[in-house]
């Protein structure tokens, strides 16, 4: 056989071997893409948590059919100064969207009340602080204290809910089992109305439409509650809140949970809330209320807005401990969409 023929055979065999290696590589890549999505829990990398569209309890049909129109995200960056943290919040929710005691004259101005920390579960997150003897309500020394962030009339329309709109809200949430509570209220999330009326013609904006709260019950200990209010009656008398769910505080305490809310803002609206533990994926709260009154507006200028943080009664101050309380939040997401 000539030297040229030998070289041609060697070349052909080499090309065949390379071709088979290429096919094997394609198969391995395809199997990896279709296989498990588990990730490392090493301290250097936050654990990946399934989003609201996957895992956990079966999803309501309305959630599955949600078509995204807009999405706004507020995430901590690990900033070490309060000025950076406050600036990042206001860059998303609008200037004046922070109601922290250190921002109001006559209140607890000597220390920042929203900090940033990082852990191995959710990564960078916000820490909201409350101090029993020092914090007030936007400078007002009343029977309550407030440290919240919100959207409001100076925020972009993408983070405000107008009549007939459907919105989703998502965030991660952490509370400690030893946090002190009273028989009054401690709110961590609110959907509040802006109602351009003083005559209670459609409720009013005094009472939140929805609250995620906690109380200390004398008989059963600490309780997590989701409440719904229809506002005041037309004669000015106050209505009672309706409990959509009452759960054990211990079901969420000392662990990160993910909260998902979907709301359609209408007189006969729709409200969904799911709270899922990050660690084991257990669903703690699963609410799906149809034909629920989710609207208080009387004009095209009215809207519903979210609030997060610590807003609590101090009427039973002796039940609150002097130690600084810390409530953590991460990765706020606000979406608008259609069903």
């Amino acid at each position: 056989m000539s030297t040229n023929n030998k070289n041609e055979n060697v070349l052909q065999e080499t090309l065949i071997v390379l071709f088979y290696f290429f096919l094997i590589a394609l198969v391995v890549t395809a199997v990896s893409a279709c296989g498990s999505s588990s990730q490392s829990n090493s301290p250097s990398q936050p654990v990946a948590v399934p989003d609201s569209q996957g895992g956990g309890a079966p999803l309501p049909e309305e959630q599955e059919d949600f078509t995204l129109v807009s999405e706004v995200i507020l995430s901590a960056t690990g900033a070490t100064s309060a000025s950076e943290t406050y600036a990042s919040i206001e860059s998303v929710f609008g200037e004046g969207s922070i109601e922290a005691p250190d921002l109001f004259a006559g209140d607890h101005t000597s220390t920042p009340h929203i900090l940033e920390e990082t852990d191995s579960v959710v990564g960078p997150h916000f820490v909201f602080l409350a101090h029993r003897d020092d914090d007030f309500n936007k400078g007002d020394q009343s029977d309550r204290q407030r440290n919240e962030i919100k959207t409001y009339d100076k925020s972009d329309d993408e983070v405000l809910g107008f009549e007939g709109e459907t919105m989703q809200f998502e965030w991660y949430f952490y509370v400690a089992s030893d946090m002190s509570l009273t028989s009054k209220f401690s709110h961590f999330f609110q959907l509040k109305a802006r109602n351009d009326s003083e005559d209670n013609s459609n409720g009013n904006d005094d009472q939140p439409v929805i609250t995620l709260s906690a109380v200390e019950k004398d008989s059963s200990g600490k309780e997590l509650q989701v409440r719904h209010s229809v506002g005041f009656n037309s004669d000015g008398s106050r209505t009672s809140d309706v409990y959509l769910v009452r759960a054990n505080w211990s079901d969420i305490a000392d662990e990160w949970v993910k909260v998902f809310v979907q709301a359609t803002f209408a007189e006969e609206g729709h409200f969904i809330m799911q709270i899922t533990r990050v660690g084991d994926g257990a669903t703690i709260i699963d609410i799906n209320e149809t034909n629920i009154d989710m609207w208080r507006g009387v004009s095209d200028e009215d809207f519903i807005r979210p609030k997060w943080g610590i807003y609590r009664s101090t009427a039973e101050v002796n039940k609150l401990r002097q130690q600084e309380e810390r409530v953590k939040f991460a990765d706020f997401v606000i979406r608008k969409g259609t069903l």
Side-chain angles (χ1 to χ4, degrees):
M1 181 180 295
S2 68
T3 301
N4 288 337
N5 288 337
K6 289 182 179 180
N7 289 339
E8 288 176 359
N9 289 339
V10 170
L11 179 60
Q12 289 175 352
E13 291 172 358
T14 302
L15 290 174
I16 291 171
V17 171
L18 290 175
F19 178 73
Y20 279 114
F21 273 119
F22 175 73
L23 287 179
I24 292 171
L26 284 178
V27 172
V28 170
T29 301
V31 170
S32 299
C34 297
S36 171
S37 61
S38 62
Q39 298 191 17
S40 169
N41 291 348
S42 63
S44 61
Q45 180 178 348
V47 176
V49 182
D51 62 26
S52 65
Q53 304 300 324
L59 300 180
E61 182 180 348
E62 291 78 3
Q63 182 179 335
E64 293 177 338
D65 292 341
F66 184 87
T67 300
L68 183 67
V69 172
S70 66
E71 182 177 73
V72 175
I73 299 173
L74 169 62
S75 294
T77 62
T80 57
S81 72
S83 60
E84 290 180 66
T85 297
Y86 288 16
S88 69
I89 294 170
E90 290 191 328
S91 71
V92 179
F93 287 175
E95 184 178 355
S97 57
I98 304 171
E99 297 177 333
D102 49 294
L103 299 181
F104 296 89
D107 212 320
H108 188 191
T109 58
S110 61
T111 185
H113 284 71
I114 304 176
L115 312 174
E116 293 188 44
E117 294 180 352
T118 300
D119 68 13
S120 61
V121 180
V122 299
H125 54 269
F126 300 102
V127 183
F128 288 65
L129 308 180
H131 310 93
R132 188 192 73 176
D133 300 328
D134 301 312
D135 296 348
F136 305 123
N137 181 23
K138 297 189 289 186
D140 179 19
Q141 299 185 29
S142 61
D143 64 347
R144 58 199 61 199
Q145 52 190 195
R146 182 192 307 269
N147 181 19
E148 292 183 305
I149 61 175
K150 65 181 182 180
T151 68
Y152 71 130
D153 57 3
K154 292 182 175 59
S155 304
D156 293 336
D157 285 355
E158 285 77 10
V159 293
L160 303 174
F162 296 93
E163 186 172 15
E165 291 187 329
T166 296
M167 297 183 73
Q168 293 181 345
F169 307 91
E170 285 185 1
W171 67 96
Y172 293 97
F173 178 51
Y174 183 102
V175 290
S177 55
D178 60 357
M179 182 178 184
S180 55
L181 303 171
T182 71
S183 66
K184 302 302 182 180
F185 66 88
S186 293
H187 296 332
F188 306 111
F189 169 70
Q190 303 178 61
L191 285 178
K192 287 211 70 177
R194 200 290 294 271
N195 183 322
D196 191 19
S197 172
E198 300 295 334
D199 63 2
N200 298 304
S201 58
N202 185 23
N204 58 29
D205 60 2
D206 183 52
Q207 292 298 107
V209 180
I210 295 287
T211 56
L212 175 64
S213 309
V215 298
E216 176 76 54
K217 305 296 290 183
D218 292 337
S219 58
S220 57
K222 296 177 180 178
E223 185 174 85
L224 185 71
Q225 302 175 342
V226 181
R227 307 178 188 177
H228 172 250
S229 170
V230 296
F232 282 35
N233 294 313
S234 58
D235 63 2
S237 60
R238 182 170 177 167
T239 61
S240 298
D241 288 352
V242 174
Y243 294 93
L244 301 182
V245 75
R246 304 169 83 161
N248 293 327
W249 180 256
S250 59
D251 287 341
I252 70 161
D254 299 326
E255 295 192 57
W256 281 101
V257 298
K258 184 168 186 178
V259 187
F260 171 84
V261 168
Q262 181 172 298
T264 299
F265 300 119
E267 299 289 350
E268 296 181 356
H270 196 168
F271 177 73
I272 295 169
M273 175 181 277
Q274 294 174 340
I275 299 182
T276 307
R277 274 200 305 260
V278 169
D280 60 6
T283 299
I284 307 305
I285 287 176
D286 191 359
I287 299 170
N288 188 358
E289 292 285 336
T290 58
N291 297 321
I292 183 173
D293 184 358
M294 294 293 293
W295 186 245
R296 304 287 173 271
V298 295
S299 77
D300 291 340
E301 301 300 316
D302 293 335
F303 53 79
I304 303 286
R305 58 195 175 94
K307 303 188 77 174
W308 290 275
I310 307 171
Y311 177 46
R312 65 178 183 175
S313 170
T314 54
E316 299 173 345
V317 69
N318 60 306
K319 292 184 179 181
L320 299 174
R321 61 181 182 173
Q322 287 185 306
Q323 293 99 316
E324 177 181 88
E325 301 285 10
R326 298 162 60 87
V327 177
K328 304 176 184 181
F329 295 87
D331 298 336
F332 300 100
V333 182
I334 301 177
R335 302 186 187 97
K336 283 191 178 184
T338 58
L339 297 177

